[in-house]
Amino acid sequence: MSRSPSFSVKSELSPTLDPESLQQWVVAFCVIRFDLEQGQLIEECYPPRTLTQDEELEIAYSSFPDSVSQHHNRSSIHDCMFFFRFRRRQKSKPSNGSSSEISEAGNEAGSPKPPLNNNVSNRQGRSSNDDSRYIYGFVFNRQRHDERLKRGGEQKSVVILSHSPYSSVFRPLLQIMGPLYFDIGKKALEHIAAYVSMWPSPAPGTLMELPIGNAALKVNLPPAHSLPLESGMLLEESASSMAPLLPTNQSVPQGLFHDSDIFGIFRGILLQLWVLWELLLIGEPILIIAPTPPQCCEAVASLVSLVAPLLFSVDFRPYFTIHDPEFAHLNSIQEGHAFPPMILGVTNIFFLKSLRNIPHIVSVGSPSPNSNRLPFSSRSTGRIPGRAEGFGLQQPLSLKKFSPSNLLNAVKLRREGPLCLMTEHKEAIWTTYTAITKPDTSILNRLIDAGMSPRVEESMSVVNNEILRRHFLELTTNFLAPFGPYFRTTTPSEGTSPFVDPPPLPPFSVDEFLRNLSARGPGKFLSKRMKSNWLDLYRRFLKGPNFMPWFQRRRMVAEQEQQRIWKQARMKTEIQEFISEMSEVEVVDSFTAIEKHLRGEIQLQESGKGIDDSAATCSKLRGDLQAIFDILPKDMQELLVMNPQTAALLDFSS
């Protein structure tokens, strides 16, 4: 669709809110007004009493641009959309005196990680990247200039709060909800919340059709392997999402923010994407500065999407302000001390002075001309046509022209440093990091210059984004491929018992991995695109914040897959044929092994965690256990049933 879905409110047809179902998608809907005398004020929060007072304050400060746009006529309306992300605190008093339960899980993304052991065991704990401690706020901001109003205008934001980074859902939902609120007021929040509470549970990695009034959002959710673990539960994901396999279906997203406009926002510095990819891979801190919140958010989201299918474990803030509680800590970091791994998107040039210790600074976008356009949204959902705010650069695409003047300008930018942005905004990157990966000119040459037409530019951006996203997906997948053997599962071989525990996954040693990789080489794909010191990139990756959470997660998925394979083998085993070739000792060992598996399945059922075939599995294992018991010597049978728990599993009463 080229336009946002329409929405009409009919009270007699509106569904009833289901608060528990709503929480699967949304924490709350808020409306925040900017009062020129009192500051940011939350006018509405629905459902009520879902946020603490501290959270309300942080949301209010994050829901407005740093300053009202000055690029519009005095009677105009200017809408923009962006999003922010903040960390939830420990339990504190909720707003309006209600109780608010805030999950307190392990280490969060971007926090100092434990030192990397030289050997990684085959059984790992849960990932340190737990997003239950983060909230995403998706903002529809309206600035209205009217000389008849006090101080010449007003500013309000409609905000969707969620634990999930589902930009492909909440952007088009905001395109419906934002204008609707300004038409009918609080009723819009109640009606939208009721419809959202009717949605099925999120199904990561799938195309979902989500009804909203008389419209429907068709959206692709990011895959399970790109989402963090929540509440200790492992999202259902397939081992096939592992490197080194590239996805066969290109329409299925492979990471977060697959709807972001990489080409549009980085168009002026496309040659630097490979430098940024490496910085993201190894978890270096990056400051993104742009003229407007939509542009800095788009840049941060695009960078996060650049390393798919890697689980990105660095803390990222699409729109960061000086009011964030963590600003004081970041501002106090002394010169010479390491900056924590973070990606910060900002619009306030004050950060150039206050965060001098951040080693990599990227400037993107351009000051917005007169426009009331909304930023790009998901291609698979409704999108307001036209150029996104500040996304389209006026100069033609020029990737191969390296003139002396261009070289002089680059040298001048480097010499002036990022503080030159205090006087004039320019698209550039400042870093002392030397990239190992070479820009792929064949990819750049395939990109299409969209020209000046907004409609043509939008369609060409879709094509260019597909080219760029496919390339970096292939680049990341090939980079992760050498780790594949450590996630390789085994199946029971012919003549061996499927009832014994499967063998552990291969142990991982950093030194051994690097030694073997150095001898083997990076493979054809990477060897063509990387310099001779390519092994240094692996060393940095192994020490960085992304490796351990990703490696642990993949090991857990591989172990889960191996357990599933061996369980299938047990279900297919004909027990009578199996035991006919066994010695008495092997028969007894098999009885013990089957009993252990049966107890495990029963415990899963009793805890409510059993899967669909648990009942069939229990029935099969009970039959196998009884078959083995029946052929045991009488004295052995009597000894076994002395244990009442064992006797309860058998058709035998003592």
Side-chain angles (χ1 to χ4, degrees), residues 83-113:
F83 75 105
F84 58 87
R85 179 182 190 252
F86 71 92
R87 181 183 289 124
R88 299 200 89 167
R89 310 294 157 186
Q90 294 182 355
K91 292 181 182 179
S92 58
K93 184 179 179 181
S95 180
N96 300 328
S98 176
S99 62
S100 176
E101 187 172 334
I102 301 175
S103 58
E104 184 67 28
N107 295 330
E108 68 277 8
S111 62
K113 64 180 180 57

PDB file of all heavy atoms in Angstrom, residues 83-113:
ATOM      1  N   PHE A  83      11.688   6.913  17.527  1.00  0.00           N
ATOM      2  CA  PHE A  83      11.536   6.031  18.690  1.00  0.00           C
ATOM      3  C   PHE A  83      12.756   6.116  19.583  1.00  0.00           C
ATOM      4  O   PHE A  83      13.827   6.536  19.168  1.00  0.00           O
ATOM      5  CB  PHE A  83      11.241   4.593  18.263  1.00  0.00           C
ATOM      6  CG  PHE A  83      12.407   3.811  17.711  1.00  0.00           C
ATOM      7  CD1 PHE A  83      13.023   2.825  18.468  1.00  0.00           C
ATOM      8  CD2 PHE A  83      12.879   4.043  16.418  1.00  0.00           C
ATOM      9  CE1 PHE A  83      14.079   2.087  17.955  1.00  0.00           C
ATOM     10  CE2 PHE A  83      13.924   3.314  15.899  1.00  0.00           C
ATOM     11  CZ  PHE A  83      14.539   2.328  16.665  1.00  0.00           C
ATOM     12  N   PHE A  84      12.547   5.756  20.841  1.00  0.00           N
ATOM     13  CA  PHE A  84      13.621   5.774  21.818  1.00  0.00           C
ATOM     14  C   PHE A  84      13.613   4.453  22.593  1.00  0.00           C
ATOM     15  O   PHE A  84      12.694   3.641  22.477  1.00  0.00           O
ATOM     16  CB  PHE A  84      13.484   6.966  22.780  1.00  0.00           C
ATOM     17  CG  PHE A  84      12.185   7.011  23.549  1.00  0.00           C
ATOM     18  CD1 PHE A  84      12.042   6.345  24.762  1.00  0.00           C
ATOM     19  CD2 PHE A  84      11.095   7.733  23.064  1.00  0.00           C
ATOM     20  CE1 PHE A  84      10.850   6.384  25.475  1.00  0.00           C
ATOM     21  CE2 PHE A  84       9.889   7.776  23.761  1.00  0.00           C
ATOM     22  CZ  PHE A  84       9.773   7.099  24.972  1.00  0.00           C
ATOM     23  N   ARG A  85      14.642   4.260  23.378  1.00  0.00           N
ATOM     24  CA  ARG A  85      14.796   3.022  24.159  1.00  0.00           C
ATOM     25  C   ARG A  85      15.438   3.401  25.485  1.00  0.00           C
ATOM     26  O   ARG A  85      16.416   4.140  25.519  1.00  0.00           O
ATOM     27  CB  ARG A  85      15.692   2.045  23.390  1.00  0.00           C
ATOM     28  CG  ARG A  85      15.996   0.707  24.058  1.00  0.00           C
ATOM     29  CD  ARG A  85      16.924  -0.081  23.143  1.00  0.00           C
ATOM     30  NE  ARG A  85      17.114  -1.473  23.544  1.00  0.00           N
ATOM     31  CZ  ARG A  85      18.236  -1.957  24.067  1.00  0.00           C
ATOM     32  NH1 ARG A  85      19.266  -1.148  24.288  1.00  0.00           N
ATOM     33  NH2 ARG A  85      18.340  -3.231  24.378  1.00  0.00           N
ATOM     34  N   PHE A  86      14.867   2.917  26.579  1.00  0.00           N
ATOM     35  CA  PHE A  86      15.459   3.208  27.874  1.00  0.00           C
ATOM     36  C   PHE A  86      15.414   1.976  28.769  1.00  0.00           C
ATOM     37  O   PHE A  86      14.610   1.067  28.578  1.00  0.00           O
ATOM     38  CB  PHE A  86      14.777   4.412  28.544  1.00  0.00           C
ATOM     39  CG  PHE A  86      13.379   4.146  29.046  1.00  0.00           C
ATOM     40  CD1 PHE A  86      13.158   3.722  30.349  1.00  0.00           C
ATOM     41  CD2 PHE A  86      12.281   4.336  28.219  1.00  0.00           C
ATOM     42  CE1 PHE A  86      11.873   3.495  30.824  1.00  0.00           C
ATOM     43  CE2 PHE A  86      10.990   4.100  28.671  1.00  0.00           C
ATOM     44  CZ  PHE A  86      10.788   3.677  29.982  1.00  0.00           C
ATOM     45  N   ARG A  87      16.277   1.997  29.764  1.00  0.00           N
ATOM     46  CA  ARG A  87      16.396   0.857  30.675  1.00  0.00           C
ATOM     47  C   ARG A  87      15.439   1.024  31.850  1.00  0.00           C
ATOM     48  O   ARG A  87      15.396   2.080  32.490  1.00  0.00           O
ATOM     49  CB  ARG A  87      17.833   0.752  31.186  1.00  0.00           C
ATOM     50  CG  ARG A  87      18.073  -0.422  32.116  1.00  0.00           C
ATOM     51  CD  ARG A  87      19.485  -0.445  32.656  1.00  0.00           C
ATOM     52  NE  ARG A  87      20.443  -0.787  31.639  1.00  0.00           N
ATOM     53  CZ  ARG A  87      21.483  -0.055  31.313  1.00  0.00           C
ATOM     54  NH1 ARG A  87      21.684   1.106  31.913  1.00  0.00           N
ATOM     55  NH2 ARG A  87      22.327  -0.448  30.384  1.00  0.00           N
ATOM     56  N   ARG A  88      14.686  -0.012  32.130  1.00  0.00           N
ATOM     57  CA  ARG A  88      13.809   0.011  33.297  1.00  0.00           C
ATOM     58  C   ARG A  88      14.641  -0.136  34.562  1.00  0.00           C
ATOM     59  O   ARG A  88      15.638  -0.847  34.589  1.00  0.00           O
ATOM     60  CB  ARG A  88      12.771  -1.106  33.237  1.00  0.00           C
ATOM     61  CG  ARG A  88      11.844  -1.027  32.049  1.00  0.00           C
ATOM     62  CD  ARG A  88      10.578  -1.820  32.250  1.00  0.00           C
ATOM     63  NE  ARG A  88       9.540  -1.020  32.879  1.00  0.00           N
ATOM     64  CZ  ARG A  88       8.256  -1.390  32.935  1.00  0.00           C
ATOM     65  NH1 ARG A  88       7.877  -2.542  32.436  1.00  0.00           N
ATOM     66  NH2 ARG A  88       7.356  -0.624  33.510  1.00  0.00           N
ATOM     67  N   ARG A  89      14.210   0.528  35.604  1.00  0.00           N
ATOM     68  CA  ARG A  89      14.932   0.493  36.871  1.00  0.00           C
ATOM     69  C   ARG A  89      14.411  -0.621  37.758  1.00  0.00           C
ATOM     70  O   ARG A  89      13.497  -1.350  37.405  1.00  0.00           O
ATOM     71  CB  ARG A  89      14.781   1.833  37.600  1.00  0.00           C
ATOM     72  CG  ARG A  89      15.099   3.033  36.727  1.00  0.00           C
ATOM     73  CD  ARG A  89      16.566   3.057  36.337  1.00  0.00           C
ATOM     74  NE  ARG A  89      16.777   3.844  35.125  1.00  0.00           N
ATOM     75  CZ  ARG A  89      17.915   3.937  34.496  1.00  0.00           C
ATOM     76  NH1 ARG A  89      18.964   3.281  34.928  1.00  0.00           N
ATOM     77  NH2 ARG A  89      18.031   4.653  33.403  1.00  0.00           N
ATOM     78  N   GLN A  90      14.972  -0.696  38.971  1.00  0.00           N
ATOM     79  CA  GLN A  90      14.477  -1.647  39.948  1.00  0.00           C
ATOM     80  C   GLN A  90      13.091  -1.213  40.382  1.00  0.00           C
ATOM     81  O   GLN A  90      12.649  -0.098  40.110  1.00  0.00           O
ATOM     82  CB  GLN A  90      15.419  -1.731  41.136  1.00  0.00           C
ATOM     83  CG  GLN A  90      16.782  -2.310  40.776  1.00  0.00           C
ATOM     84  CD  GLN A  90      17.677  -2.421  41.989  1.00  0.00           C
ATOM     85  OE1 GLN A  90      17.322  -1.991  43.066  1.00  0.00           O
ATOM     86  NE2 GLN A  90      18.849  -2.995  41.796  1.00  0.00           N
ATOM     87  N   LYS A  91      12.410  -2.094  41.108  1.00  0.00           N
ATOM     88  CA  LYS A  91      11.048  -1.797  41.521  1.00  0.00           C
ATOM     89  C   LYS A  91      10.999  -0.481  42.295  1.00  0.00           C
ATOM     90  O   LYS A  91      11.769  -0.261  43.211  1.00  0.00           O
ATOM     91  CB  LYS A  91      10.494  -2.919  42.395  1.00  0.00           C
ATOM     92  CG  LYS A  91      10.286  -4.228  41.644  1.00  0.00           C
ATOM     93  CD  LYS A  91       9.718  -5.276  42.555  1.00  0.00           C
ATOM     94  CE  LYS A  91       9.543  -6.600  41.817  1.00  0.00           C
ATOM     95  NZ  LYS A  91       9.002  -7.645  42.687  1.00  0.00           N
ATOM     96  N   SER A  92      10.080   0.374  41.894  1.00  0.00           N
ATOM     97  CA  SER A  92       9.854   1.625  42.606  1.00  0.00           C
ATOM     98  C   SER A  92       8.365   1.922  42.592  1.00  0.00           C
ATOM     99  O   SER A  92       7.581   1.226  41.955  1.00  0.00           O
ATOM    100  CB  SER A  92      10.633   2.762  41.943  1.00  0.00           C
ATOM    101  OG  SER A  92      10.257   2.894  40.597  1.00  0.00           O
ATOM    102  N   LYS A  93       7.986   2.976  43.291  1.00  0.00           N
ATOM    103  CA  LYS A  93       6.564   3.261  43.449  1.00  0.00           C
ATOM    104  C   LYS A  93       5.935   3.646  42.120  1.00  0.00           C
ATOM    105  O   LYS A  93       6.371   4.597  41.474  1.00  0.00           O
ATOM    106  CB  LYS A  93       6.380   4.396  44.452  1.00  0.00           C
ATOM    107  CG  LYS A  93       4.917   4.689  44.759  1.00  0.00           C
ATOM    108  CD  LYS A  93       4.797   5.807  45.786  1.00  0.00           C
ATOM    109  CE  LYS A  93       3.331   6.109  46.073  1.00  0.00           C
ATOM    110  NZ  LYS A  93       3.177   7.209  47.048  1.00  0.00           N
ATOM    111  N   PRO A  94       4.880   2.922  41.685  1.00  0.00           N
ATOM    112  CA  PRO A  94       4.241   3.261  40.416  1.00  0.00           C
ATOM    113  C   PRO A  94       3.471   4.566  40.518  1.00  0.00           C
ATOM    114  O   PRO A  94       3.111   5.019  41.601  1.00  0.00           O
ATOM    115  CB  PRO A  94       3.286   2.091  40.164  1.00  0.00           C
ATOM    116  CG  PRO A  94       3.657   1.048  41.154  1.00  0.00           C
ATOM    117  CD  PRO A  94       4.281   1.752  42.301  1.00  0.00           C
ATOM    118  N   SER A  95       3.223   5.141  39.360  1.00  0.00           N
ATOM    119  CA  SER A  95       2.410   6.343  39.312  1.00  0.00           C
ATOM    120  C   SER A  95       1.001   6.029  39.771  1.00  0.00           C
ATOM    121  O   SER A  95       0.471   4.941  39.532  1.00  0.00           O
ATOM    122  CB  SER A  95       2.387   6.885  37.880  1.00  0.00           C
ATOM    123  OG  SER A  95       1.611   8.044  37.802  1.00  0.00           O
ATOM    124  N   ASN A  96       0.357   6.970  40.443  1.00  0.00           N
ATOM    125  CA  ASN A  96      -1.018   6.849  40.935  1.00  0.00           C
ATOM    126  C   ASN A  96      -1.168   5.805  42.026  1.00  0.00           C
ATOM    127  O   ASN A  96      -2.247   5.279  42.248  1.00  0.00           O
ATOM    128  CB  ASN A  96      -2.006   6.524  39.799  1.00  0.00           C
ATOM    129  CG  ASN A  96      -1.999   7.607  38.746  1.00  0.00           C
ATOM    130  OD1 ASN A  96      -1.787   8.778  39.052  1.00  0.00           O
ATOM    131  ND2 ASN A  96      -2.209   7.216  37.496  1.00  0.00           N
ATOM    132  N   GLY A  97      -0.066   5.435  42.668  1.00  0.00           N
ATOM    133  CA  GLY A  97      -0.147   4.599  43.853  1.00  0.00           C
ATOM    134  C   GLY A  97      -0.420   3.141  43.614  1.00  0.00           C
ATOM    135  O   GLY A  97      -0.681   2.398  44.536  1.00  0.00           O
ATOM    136  N   SER A  98      -0.371   2.673  42.385  1.00  0.00           N
ATOM    137  CA  SER A  98      -0.603   1.267  42.098  1.00  0.00           C
ATOM    138  C   SER A  98       0.715   0.519  42.107  1.00  0.00           C
ATOM    139  O   SER A  98       1.781   1.096  42.020  1.00  0.00           O
ATOM    140  CB  SER A  98      -1.276   1.121  40.740  1.00  0.00           C
ATOM    141  OG  SER A  98      -1.432  -0.228  40.416  1.00  0.00           O
ATOM    142  N   SER A  99       0.626  -0.804  42.218  1.00  0.00           N
ATOM    143  CA  SER A  99       1.856  -1.599  42.203  1.00  0.00           C
ATOM    144  C   SER A  99       2.278  -1.832  40.766  1.00  0.00           C
ATOM    145  O   SER A  99       1.455  -2.014  39.888  1.00  0.00           O
ATOM    146  CB  SER A  99       1.630  -2.940  42.898  1.00  0.00           C
ATOM    147  OG  SER A  99       0.654  -3.667  42.221  1.00  0.00           O
ATOM    148  N   SER A 100       3.557  -1.813  40.552  1.00  0.00           N
ATOM    149  CA  SER A 100       4.085  -2.041  39.205  1.00  0.00           C
ATOM    150  C   SER A 100       5.206  -3.039  39.290  1.00  0.00           C
ATOM    151  O   SER A 100       6.185  -2.819  39.984  1.00  0.00           O
ATOM    152  CB  SER A 100       4.597  -0.733  38.604  1.00  0.00           C
ATOM    153  OG  SER A 100       5.185  -0.962  37.366  1.00  0.00           O
ATOM    154  N   GLU A 101       5.062  -4.156  38.600  1.00  0.00           N
ATOM    155  CA  GLU A 101       6.086  -5.197  38.632  1.00  0.00           C
ATOM    156  C   GLU A 101       7.023  -5.024  37.460  1.00  0.00           C
ATOM    157  O   GLU A 101       6.632  -5.099  36.311  1.00  0.00           O
ATOM    158  CB  GLU A 101       5.430  -6.579  38.580  1.00  0.00           C
ATOM    159  CG  GLU A 101       6.428  -7.689  38.773  1.00  0.00           C
ATOM    160  CD  GLU A 101       5.756  -9.035  38.903  1.00  0.00           C
ATOM    161  OE1 GLU A 101       4.602  -9.073  39.320  1.00  0.00           O
ATOM    162  OE2 GLU A 101       6.395 -10.027  38.565  1.00  0.00           O
ATOM    163  N   ILE A 102       8.280  -4.765  37.795  1.00  0.00           N
ATOM    164  CA  ILE A 102       9.301  -4.583  36.771  1.00  0.00           C
ATOM    165  C   ILE A 102      10.259  -5.734  36.865  1.00  0.00           C
ATOM    166  O   ILE A 102      10.841  -5.983  37.914  1.00  0.00           O
ATOM    167  CB  ILE A 102      10.037  -3.246  36.963  1.00  0.00           C
ATOM    168  CG1 ILE A 102       9.021  -2.092  36.893  1.00  0.00           C
ATOM    169  CG2 ILE A 102      11.116  -3.065  35.940  1.00  0.00           C
ATOM    170  CD1 ILE A 102       9.619  -0.757  37.184  1.00  0.00           C
ATOM    171  N   SER A 103      10.414  -6.486  35.749  1.00  0.00           N
ATOM    172  CA  SER A 103      11.269  -7.665  35.777  1.00  0.00           C
ATOM    173  C   SER A 103      12.705  -7.271  36.014  1.00  0.00           C
ATOM    174  O   SER A 103      13.201  -6.299  35.481  1.00  0.00           O
ATOM    175  CB  SER A 103      11.148  -8.440  34.464  1.00  0.00           C
ATOM    176  OG  SER A 103      11.487  -7.610  33.400  1.00  0.00           O
ATOM    177  N   GLU A 104      13.394  -8.034  36.839  1.00  0.00           N
ATOM    178  CA  GLU A 104      14.789  -7.786  37.165  1.00  0.00           C
ATOM    179  C   GLU A 104      15.570  -9.003  36.761  1.00  0.00           C
ATOM    180  O   GLU A 104      15.658  -9.993  37.464  1.00  0.00           O
ATOM    181  CB  GLU A 104      14.916  -7.532  38.675  1.00  0.00           C
ATOM    182  CG  GLU A 104      16.310  -7.163  39.119  1.00  0.00           C
ATOM    183  CD  GLU A 104      16.735  -5.816  38.568  1.00  0.00           C
ATOM    184  OE1 GLU A 104      15.885  -4.969  38.323  1.00  0.00           O
ATOM    185  OE2 GLU A 104      17.941  -5.639  38.378  1.00  0.00           O
ATOM    186  N   ALA A 105      16.097  -8.983  35.548  1.00  0.00           N
ATOM    187  CA  ALA A 105      16.782 -10.147  35.014  1.00  0.00           C
ATOM    188  C   ALA A 105      18.246  -9.875  34.909  1.00  0.00           C
ATOM    189  O   ALA A 105      18.669  -8.741  34.973  1.00  0.00           O
ATOM    190  CB  ALA A 105      16.213 -10.492  33.645  1.00  0.00           C
ATOM    191  N   GLY A 106      19.039 -10.934  34.744  1.00  0.00           N
ATOM    192  CA  GLY A 106      20.490 -10.903  34.633  1.00  0.00           C
ATOM    193  C   GLY A 106      21.141  -9.637  34.163  1.00  0.00           C
ATOM    194  O   GLY A 106      20.706  -8.554  34.446  1.00  0.00           O
ATOM    195  N   ASN A 107      22.213  -9.771  33.454  1.00  0.00           N
ATOM    196  CA  ASN A 107      22.935  -8.620  32.929  1.00  0.00           C
ATOM    197  C   ASN A 107      22.253  -8.127  31.671  1.00  0.00           C
ATOM    198  O   ASN A 107      21.796  -8.892  30.854  1.00  0.00           O
ATOM    199  CB  ASN A 107      24.384  -8.993  32.596  1.00  0.00           C
ATOM    200  CG  ASN A 107      25.154  -9.352  33.826  1.00  0.00           C
ATOM    201  OD1 ASN A 107      24.875  -8.837  34.897  1.00  0.00           O
ATOM    202  ND2 ASN A 107      26.117 -10.240  33.697  1.00  0.00           N
ATOM    203  N   GLU A 108      22.195  -6.807  31.532  1.00  0.00           N
ATOM    204  CA  GLU A 108      21.565  -6.245  30.358  1.00  0.00           C
ATOM    205  C   GLU A 108      22.567  -6.054  29.237  1.00  0.00           C
ATOM    206  O   GLU A 108      23.761  -6.081  29.443  1.00  0.00           O
ATOM    207  CB  GLU A 108      20.896  -4.897  30.697  1.00  0.00           C
ATOM    208  CG  GLU A 108      21.868  -3.792  31.044  1.00  0.00           C
ATOM    209  CD  GLU A 108      22.309  -3.835  32.493  1.00  0.00           C
ATOM    210  OE1 GLU A 108      21.974  -4.795  33.177  1.00  0.00           O
ATOM    211  OE2 GLU A 108      23.027  -2.913  32.914  1.00  0.00           O
ATOM    212  N   ALA A 109      22.017  -5.815  28.043  1.00  0.00           N
ATOM    213  CA  ALA A 109      22.892  -5.563  26.898  1.00  0.00           C
ATOM    214  C   ALA A 109      23.686  -4.309  27.151  1.00  0.00           C
ATOM    215  O   ALA A 109      23.190  -3.313  27.625  1.00  0.00           O
ATOM    216  CB  ALA A 109      22.050  -5.393  25.633  1.00  0.00           C
ATOM    217  N   GLY A 110      24.927  -4.386  26.810  1.00  0.00           N
ATOM    218  CA  GLY A 110      25.771  -3.220  26.942  1.00  0.00           C
ATOM    219  C   GLY A 110      26.424  -3.082  28.294  1.00  0.00           C
ATOM    220  O   GLY A 110      27.250  -2.210  28.512  1.00  0.00           O
ATOM    221  N   SER A 111      26.057  -3.937  29.281  1.00  0.00           N
ATOM    222  CA  SER A 111      26.700  -3.860  30.576  1.00  0.00           C
ATOM    223  C   SER A 111      28.035  -4.561  30.515  1.00  0.00           C
ATOM    224  O   SER A 111      28.289  -5.368  29.638  1.00  0.00           O
ATOM    225  CB  SER A 111      25.812  -4.526  31.635  1.00  0.00           C
ATOM    226  OG  SER A 111      25.646  -5.884  31.331  1.00  0.00           O
ATOM    227  N   PRO A 112      28.911  -4.270  31.489  1.00  0.00           N
ATOM    228  CA  PRO A 112      30.218  -4.929  31.462  1.00  0.00           C
ATOM    229  C   PRO A 112      30.064  -6.433  31.512  1.00  0.00           C
ATOM    230  O   PRO A 112      29.385  -6.970  32.372  1.00  0.00           O
ATOM    231  CB  PRO A 112      30.905  -4.384  32.720  1.00  0.00           C
ATOM    232  CG  PRO A 112      30.189  -3.103  33.011  1.00  0.00           C
ATOM    233  CD  PRO A 112      28.778  -3.317  32.567  1.00  0.00           C
ATOM    234  N   LYS A 113      30.646  -7.118  30.599  1.00  0.00           N
ATOM    235  CA  LYS A 113      30.499  -8.561  30.513  1.00  0.00           C
ATOM    236  C   LYS A 113      31.581  -9.247  31.330  1.00  0.00           C
ATOM    237  O   LYS A 113      32.634  -8.686  31.576  1.00  0.00           O
ATOM    238  CB  LYS A 113      30.580  -9.024  29.054  1.00  0.00           C
ATOM    239  CG  LYS A 113      31.941  -8.758  28.441  1.00  0.00           C
ATOM    240  CD  LYS A 113      31.969  -9.239  27.018  1.00  0.00           C
ATOM    241  CE  LYS A 113      33.309  -8.980  26.377  1.00  0.00           C
ATOM    242  NZ  LYS A 113      34.434  -9.555  27.054  1.00  0.00           N
TER     243      LYS A 113
END
